[in-house]
Amino acid sequence: MSSTINTMLVEKRVIHPAPEFAANARISSMDQYRQLCEEADKDPDGFWRRLAESNIEWRKPFTKVLDESRAPFYTWFEDGELNVSENCLDVHLRNGNGDKVAIIFEADDGTVEKATYRQLHARVCRIANGIRALGYGKGDRAILYMPMSIEAIAIMQACARLGLTHSVVFGGFSARSLHQRIVDVGAKLVLTADAQRRGGREIPLKAAVDEALSYEGADVVEKVVVYERTGAEIQWVEGRDIRLSEVEAGQPEECDPVAVEAEHPLFVLYTSGSTGKPKGVQHSSAGYLLWAKTTAQWVFDAKPEDVFWCTADIGWVTGHSYITYGAMAAGLTQIVFEGVPTYPNAGRFWEMIQRHRVTIFYTAPTAIRSLIKASEQNPEHHPRNYDLSSLRLLGSVGEPINPEAWMWYYENVGGSRCPIVDTWWQTETGAHILTPLPGATPLKPGSCTLPLPGIDAAVVDEAGNELPPGAGGLLVIRRPWPSMIRAVWGDEQRFRTGYYPEELGGMYMAGDNAQRDEDGYFWILGRTDDVLSVSGHRLGGTEIESALVAHELVAEAAVVGRPDATTGEAIVAFIMLKHPAAGDAEAQKIADTLRNWVASQVGPIAKPKEIRFGNNLPKTRSGKIMRRLLRLVAEGKEINQDTSTLENPDVLKQFTGVY
Ligand code: WTA
């Protein structure tokens, strides 16, 4: 859909790893990369077995690597047993690293708090014991609706310790969205905070939980645990609500990790797909952990002395794989940040890198673009004014990074010294798939470069035939890999049709368009479905449409994305009202009402940037809304293609007013 990256055809810059970087890297040459690829291609089972044996501590060793008998429902290391939290915490205590700092937490107001692996382990054990005392454990599900905090990470780890499947809901989603996820996953337990602090503001969380639990079907929830973050006044439901401090109180600082089967669902994370309802992406324990840890080590070239900072929220998969699990399993010291990049000013990221001597910085293109803009407006907050000499590696994730932003990041943040790993992956892939290895891969700004060893990615046409260099097509992964999605929670059919369509004969379909260049490098062109990427947040166009149509004033709605210089894509809603607005002022008022409505139904992050009204929407003769044409209208482009298939060709002329 969006074509933010089609400058690639003229993008000829290639940046080679500096010899000093390569010399010390875990994977230090293209030869070494190719050797690993070859090992994996020749004997995939042997390759994954070797990694799983060396990177995971098993409670019960596995015998079989991959079981394909129920494809596409693949299983990995199925008869093995392990505990994920043990692999993230206890192993470091056993290896003499208990006093290493695990988390440096920086609050919105700048307060800093540190926890060593030993302290974190004790906290996780106390919480796990407390949750167990409430009566929950393996076989149950817990929903987390939490701010970025040591507590949230400790709760995720405590769930993993008990074999309690967690599902984290991003704090920017509304009570309605939260309710939908609580019901779908069947959570008996919800863990939240009174409120969260972001950008100097206090945003209530517990109130949204109360609202979510007042809707139909939410009575599956028995207990609500509340972390008192801000001391905000909240309502209290006796018998249901309990403070985190009470859950932990008096609990021992040891808690035996529960050994679970390799395939036991570690978590379910909801994400937007091509139909209205978000889908619960179910991940395993062993396969997921294996690739989250291995990629953290390879792609971030993790070293004991590194200070790693992934700026994602734990409500998204990046926060799961590279904060809660990958970074911890790799034994890194990491920054956890409560706030936003622009508060108290747009120098916050740079100031924090300077303050904590961050060595690896992993963020999203949208953040980079907004900080480029901010530093142009206010040169005081330009990265050159900060000491960023501690940095040795940069990363990008979540959406295509345009070559200009890439170069700015490379030169101004990385001092033309730090490689950038542009990592392509998805909630469904669990961990990195296409990415440079910083000590080996020559970089091209705007390309996520090459598949990791063991990953068989390709670009194919709609019949599954591999396409030659330069041809755009579907991005697929041909062989299964350990951290892949296991199921769409409670919906077998959706898993099959969504990811393994028959036409592709057993290949995983990512839902992205891509093309490869002459060197085999991948260039991501955008989604094939209506999934939008707004400020790096993955949102479903259909979900927003459904919300709009549910409003009493709206007859029909179509939502599309248009490229936006800062947020990647901006949401544009085309709306047919039941009764047309009587003039500009009323149209503006209705637009505001609808925006707030979307915020209440889906979340503030899903508010349309632009709303355009019309008396009808462009449709094919069979009644399908032509979103392709609306996209052109949204981009302000001339429509010079054939519109004869349109039932009502004149319809496109009316969407002139933008609200
Ligand atoms: C997009 C985020 C280009 C892509 C980890 C994918 C990217 C979707 C990149 C998944 C990248 C992610 N370059 N596009 N480096 N990384 N995407 O599930 O469209 O929130 O399908 O996972 O983001 O988003 P999700």
Side-chain angles (χ1 to χ4, degrees):
M1 63 153 61
S2 76
S3 49
T4 38
I5 276 293
N6 54 20
T7 45
M8 68 181 150
L9 299 172
V10 294
E11 184 53 59
K12 292 269 184 266
R13 285 170 285 207
V14 178
I15 292 157
H16 291 272
E20 316 80 75
F21 190 102
N24 297 312
R26 281 176 184 254
I27 295 172
S28 59
S29 66
M30 282 307 271
D31 278 348
Q32 200 186 342
Y33 163 71
R34 283 192 208 98
Q35 262 168 25
L36 284 164
C37 292
E38 220 165 277
E39 179 196 347
D41 290 344
K42 276 201 190 124
D43 175 16
D45 261 31
F47 172 79
W48 293 117
R49 174 184 297 277
R50 176 173 73 75
L51 289 179
E53 281 172 354
S54 56
N55 280 352
I56 290 183
E57 288 209 8
W58 296 88
R59 281 299 181 95
K60 174 173 170 251
F62 62 92
T63 55
K64 191 174 163 92
V65 176
L66 169 65
D67 184 346
E68 301 186 89
S69 60
R70 281 158 291 152
F73 294 93
Y74 299 98
T75 58
W76 288 85
F77 320 114
E78 198 175 4
D79 58 351
E81 288 181 9
L82 76 162
N83 181 278
V84 171
S85 151
E86 179 178 7
N87 274 276
C88 293
L89 298 167
D90 307 48
V91 290
H92 306 308
L93 270 53
R94 276 180 225 143
N95 295 338
N97 287 319
D99 295 325
K100 177 171 181 175
V101 173
I103 296 179
I104 302 171
F105 172 73
E106 182 161 318
D108 193 48
D109 67 5
T111 314
V112 173
E113 189 188 333
K114 294 184 185 181
T116 63
Y117 273 97
R118 193 183 318 284
Q119 289 164 334
L120 192 63
H121 174 268
R123 189 87 196 266
V124 167
C125 287
R126 283 209 310 267
I127 296 174
N129 285 324
I131 293 177
R132 183 185 273 152
L134 291 177
Y136 303 103
K138 186 168 176 236
D140 296 325
R141 265 91 52 210
I143 286 261
L144 274 75
Y145 189 63
M146 301 270 307
M148 285 297 285
S149 51
I150 295 181
E151 284 69 17
I153 295 165
I155 289 171
M156 290 168 84
Q157 287 284 350
C159 289
R161 204 162 185 90
L162 298 173
L164 175 61
T165 302
H166 64 65
S167 185
V168 183
V169 178
F170 176 59
F173 279 117
S174 68
R176 280 278 173 199
S177 296
L178 177 61
H179 167 256
Q180 197 174 33
R181 288 156 173 79
I182 289 172
V183 173
D184 193 78
V185 86
K188 287 189 188 163
L189 181 65
V190 173
L191 300 113
T192 188
D194 46 6
Q196 61 178 334
R197 278 208 191 99
R198 282 168 71 79
R201 292 191 309 143
E202 211 173 277
I203 305 156
L205 289 172
K206 171 66 161 56
V209 171
D210 291 339
E211 185 188 334
L213 296 188
S214 73
Y215 299 135
E216 202 185 320
D219 47 5
V220 284
V221 173
E222 299 164 351
K223 289 270 177 233
V224 176
V225 176
V226 183
Y227 161 49
E228 290 170 296
R229 170 68 189 117
T230 67
E233 212 171 292
I234 51 173
Q235 285 184 9
W236 202 254
V237 179
E238 278 314 323
R240 186 197 73 183
D241 299 350
I242 177 167
R243 290 178 183 81
L244 179 64
S245 52
E246 290 170 65
V247 171
E248 287 182 74
Q251 292 295 344
E253 296 192 345
E254 285 296 334
C255 169
D256 248 356
V258 175
V260 301
E261 312 81 64
E263 285 295 317
H264 178 69
L266 176 65
F267 66 86
V268 174
L269 183 59
Y270 284 83
T271 189
S272 299
S274 36
T275 55
K277 217 176 118 201
K279 47 193 172 188
V281 173
Q282 180 185 324
H283 276 289
S284 69
S285 293
Y288 171 80
L289 174 70
L290 173 62
W291 207 222
K293 175 178 176 179
T294 308
T295 53
Q297 291 174 325
W298 285 357
V299 178
F300 297 127
D301 188 44
K303 300 272 164 53
E305 60 280 8
D306 273 318
V307 178
F308 174 70
W309 184 13
C310 165
T311 68
D313 190 283
I314 48 156
W316 306 101
V317 74
T318 307
H320 281 61
S321 302
Y322 297 106
I323 297 177
T324 307
Y325 294 113
M328 298 270 216
L332 284 164
T333 294
Q334 68 174 321
I335 308 290
V336 171
F337 178 42
E338 182 179 40
V340 298
T342 47
Y343 177 82
N345 59 59
R348 183 69 182 262
F349 274 2
W350 322 134
E351 191 200 315
M352 282 179 64
I353 292 171
Q354 170 179 293
R355 177 159 49 247
H356 301 296
R357 306 296 295 158
V358 171
T359 60
I360 308 169
F361 182 62
Y362 188 39
T363 194
T366 185
I368 298 164
R369 288 191 301 261
S370 73
L371 295 174
I372 294 175
K373 209 159 112 189
S375 69
E376 279 164 3
Q377 282 162 359
N378 189 348
E380 201 188 325
H381 304 309
H382 192 281
R384 75 169 93 82
N385 300 323
Y386 301 82
D387 175 9
L388 306 182
S389 60
S390 56
L391 287 171
R392 66 180 195 92
L393 177 60
L394 303 174
S396 172
V397 59
E399 52 183 318
I401 176 163
N402 39 311
E404 295 68 35
W406 196 104
M407 286 309 299
W408 186 91
Y409 192 29
Y410 183 75
E411 289 169 355
N412 296 290
V413 182
S416 302
R417 161 189 92 244
C418 309
I420 298 180
V421 287
D422 176 0
T423 60
W424 179 93
W425 59 296
Q426 313 174 287
T427 306
E428 293 87 342
T429 68
H432 299 155
I433 294 290
L434 306 170
T435 171
L437 289 163
T441 318
L443 307 172
K444 300 187 190 183
S447 167
C448 54
T449 74
L450 297 165
L452 282 164
I455 301 295
D456 181 19
V459 176
V460 302
D461 67 16
E462 270 159 21
N465 305 305
E466 186 156 9
L467 290 168
L474 306 173
L475 176 59
V476 296
I477 308 174
R478 291 183 289 208
R479 272 202 319 260
W481 67 103
S483 65
M484 64 191 293
I485 173 176
R486 292 305 196 270
V488 172
W489 186 262
D491 196 340
E492 195 165 300
Q493 203 45 42
R494 211 168 161 198
F495 174 80
R496 280 180 193 279
T497 51
Y499 301 109
Y500 284 93
E502 253 167 62
E503 314 81 80
L504 295 183
M507 301 179 193
Y508 169 83
M509 183 178 71
D512 276 22
N513 280 318
Q515 78 183 65
R516 300 183 81 165
D517 65 18
E518 296 292 339
D519 298 322
Y521 277 42
F522 286 79
W523 298 80
I524 304 296
L525 304 171
R527 296 284 306 187
T528 59
D529 52 20
D530 78 330
V531 169
L532 308 178
S533 173
V534 182
S535 298
H537 298 324
R538 179 168 162 184
L539 298 168
T542 324
E543 209 181 328
I544 304 169
E545 279 172 18
S546 309
L548 284 167
V549 188
H551 193 278
E552 55 186 11
L553 295 175
V554 176
E556 279 196 278
V559 166
V560 300
R562 74 152 165 70
D564 181 279
T566 307
T567 58
E569 276 187 294
I571 303 171
V572 182
F574 291 86
I575 289 175
M576 176 180 149
L577 294 169
K578 286 185 185 152
H579 308 285
D584 221 32
E586 191 182 320
Q588 187 59 55
K589 217 171 113 207
I590 295 176
D592 292 343
T593 305
L594 294 178
R595 257 187 208 106
N596 291 335
W597 170 255
V598 170
S600 72
Q601 296 297 296
V602 184
I605 50 174
K607 277 189 188 180
K609 178 158 186 184
E610 286 180 4
I611 293 183
R612 297 177 179 230
F613 296 107
N615 294 329
N616 40 27
L617 297 175
K619 292 196 183 144
T620 62
R621 289 173 201 280
S622 59
K624 269 189 153 179
I625 297 176
M626 302 277 283
R627 291 185 181 72
R628 186 172 51 82
L629 295 178
L630 288 175
R631 243 166 247 143
L632 294 174
V633 175
E635 287 176 38
K637 286 201 180 133
E638 196 132 338
I639 299 174
N640 40 23
Q641 47 188 289
D642 186 15
T643 51
S644 61
T645 51
L646 271 182
E647 169 74 35
N648 43 358
D650 282 342
V651 68
L652 294 170
K653 302 202 178 104
Q654 49 172 343
F655 296 107
T656 44
V658 176
Y659 297 95

